[in-house]
Amino acid sequence: EDIVVSDVIVDTTQARVTIKNLVDKAGIAANLFSTVAEGGVMVDMIVQNVSQKGRTNITFTIPANDLEKCLALVKNAIDTSDDVSLTHDAEIAKISVAGIGLRSHTGVGEKMFRTLSDHGINILLVGTSEMRMSAVINKSQADAAEKALCEMFLEIEA
Amino acid sequence: EDIVVSDVIVDTTQARVTIKNLVDKAGIAANLFSTVAEGGVMVDMIVQNVSQKGRTNITFTIPANDLEKCLALVKNAIDTSDDVSLTHDAEIAKISVAGIGLRSHTGVGEKMFRTLSDHGINILLVGTSEMRMSAVINKSQADAAEKALCEMFLEIEA
Ligand SMILES: C[C@@H](O)[C@H](N)C(=O)O
Ligand SMILES: C[C@@H](O)[C@H](N)C(=O)O
């Protein structure tokens, strides 16, 4: 019954960048990602939750090797006088469960999160789509997460 | 040069639910999504950004027809005495740009956000993966967004 999941992917090559307290108005995301793209940095995951009091945070992941360059680019683009700030984390792993029609199988997200929590793994960031559910966790737990998710979804002793 | 994008999808059948101020520790996401799944509500997008002061928000989208049921389920599952609260929005559209290898083409996210901002469309929520970039916007702007994104990515006068 778990055949909808075709793959478990663990990526330990990325870093997280978060811009905090951005004004939630049209054009802000466009400007940010233009800056990063023009700097030649490739962005993988992008996560933005709903705003509170007109402000929100945008987090994205990039190759860890580009972290210095990316932080420099973004620092020039943000308005620190407006309380916008920057955080980053190089000690992450991005784990993804890939398949088809994940939405119509209510069990996948729940199983993925339960599997991680059963192993005491805290979920730092989540972004999902119909074909891929991705969570960012601490890099030190990447192997444990991979093993547990492979056992859960692929019936493999990884 | 835009052939990596194969589809522009606009979904106006969903609603957004956000649980605010959750404790950021292992097991919280698992409990939340178990509750929703056991109630028979199918979850599509899930977005969680990084925590601040040990707390974070989780947002997810569901069929708009399940909103009442979902809110009732979640209210029972959260600890309002711990300042955890619930918000929702039925007036959303989820717009997605789908393709292959979106990560390695730095232009796609930037173009998607720029196209929306050029039309004055504010981006409320973002969750992306290598094959699909999704943004939630106000439902009233769904047609404008679809037209603009089809013109940008599919060279169609939609
Ligand atoms: C925060 C950012 O996404 C903003 N809402 C925008 O549309 O660009
Ligand atoms: C907030 C929630 O995702 C929590 N970090 C968990 O792992 O369940």
Side-chain angles (χ1 to χ4, degrees):
Chain A
E1 8 75 297
D2 278 337
I3 56 174
V4 318
V5 172
S6 56
D7 217 353
V8 169
I9 305 142
V10 177
D11 182 351
T12 52
T13 68
Q14 302 201 46
R16 164 188 66 78
V17 175
T18 299
I19 297 90
K20 293 177 22 169
N21 209 31
L22 282 165
V23 177
D24 184 15
K25 62 175 184 179
I28 296 289
N31 289 340
L32 171 66
F33 290 103
S34 298
T35 300
V36 176
E38 281 158 25
V41 175
M42 298 204 301
V43 170
D44 179 16
M45 223 171 148
I46 301 172
V47 171
Q48 174 193 313
N49 211 333
V50 290
S51 62
Q52 298 183 183
K53 300 183 183 143
R55 299 280 176 144
T56 189
N57 305 334
I58 295 181
T59 290
F60 56 95
T61 64
I62 55 165
N65 293 338
D66 287 338
L67 185 57
E68 290 294 321
K69 172 157 79 157
C70 186
L71 292 174
L73 284 166
V74 175
K75 272 185 191 130
N76 284 334
I78 63 178
D79 188 353
T80 49
S81 66
D82 188 32
D83 270 348
V84 177
S85 60
L86 201 49
T87 69
H88 64 275
D89 185 355
E91 296 310 307
I92 62 163
K94 179 187 153 206
I95 43 170
S96 305
V97 167
I100 299 179
L102 299 183
R103 152 161 50 165
S104 41
H105 293 81
T106 47
V108 178
E110 170 201 9
K111 283 197 182 81
M112 180 182 185
F113 299 142
R114 180 66 67 199
T115 302
L116 294 172
S117 74
D118 284 350
H119 289 76
I121 296 170
N122 192 39
I123 297 163
L124 305 174
L125 189 65
V126 180
T128 72
S129 67
E130 278 204 32
M131 294 193 293
R132 184 169 298 220
M133 311 193 69
S134 295
V136 167
I137 62 172
N138 192 282
K139 200 174 195 175
S140 62
Q141 299 174 310
D143 291 344
E146 178 170 23
K147 185 171 192 297
L149 289 170
C150 285
E151 285 172 14
M152 166 59 74
F153 287 112
L154 306 178
E155 298 175 0
I156 293 167
E157 296 296 323
Chain B
E1 7 71 296
D2 278 336
I3 54 175
V4 317
V5 172
S6 57
D7 216 352
V8 169
I9 305 143
V10 176
D11 182 350
T12 53
T13 68
Q14 302 202 45
R16 163 188 67 78
V17 175
T18 299
I19 297 90
K20 294 177 19 170
N21 210 30
L22 283 166
V23 177
D24 185 15
K25 62 176 184 178
I28 297 289
N31 290 341
L32 172 65
F33 290 102
S34 298
T35 300
V36 176
E38 281 158 24
V41 176
M42 298 203 304
V43 170
D44 179 18
M45 223 170 146
I46 301 173
V47 171
Q48 174 193 315
N49 211 333
V50 291
S51 62
Q52 299 185 181
K53 300 184 182 142
R55 300 277 175 146
T56 189
N57 304 335
I58 294 181
T59 291
F60 57 95
T61 65
I62 56 166
N65 294 339
D66 288 338
L67 185 56
E68 290 294 319
K69 171 157 81 157
C70 186
L71 291 174
L73 285 166
V74 175
K75 272 184 189 130
N76 284 335
I78 62 177
D79 188 353
T80 50
S81 66
D82 189 32
D83 269 349
V84 176
S85 61
L86 201 48
T87 69
H88 63 275
D89 186 353
E91 295 311 305
I92 61 163
K94 179 187 153 204
I95 43 169
S96 305
V97 167
I100 300 178
L102 299 183
R103 149 156 60 161
S104 41
H105 292 82
T106 48
V108 178
E110 171 199 6
K111 282 197 182 82
M112 180 180 183
F113 300 141
R114 181 64 68 199
T115 302
L116 294 172
S117 74
D118 283 351
H119 289 76
I121 296 171
N122 192 39
I123 296 163
L124 305 174
L125 188 65
V126 180
T128 72
S129 68
E130 278 202 32
M131 295 193 290
R132 184 169 296 220
M133 311 193 68
S134 295
V136 167
I137 62 171
N138 192 282
K139 199 175 197 176
S140 64
Q141 299 174 310
D143 290 344
E146 178 169 22
K147 185 171 192 297
L149 290 170
C150 285
E151 285 172 13
M152 167 59 74
F153 287 112
L154 305 177
E155 298 174 0
I156 294 169
E157 295 295 322

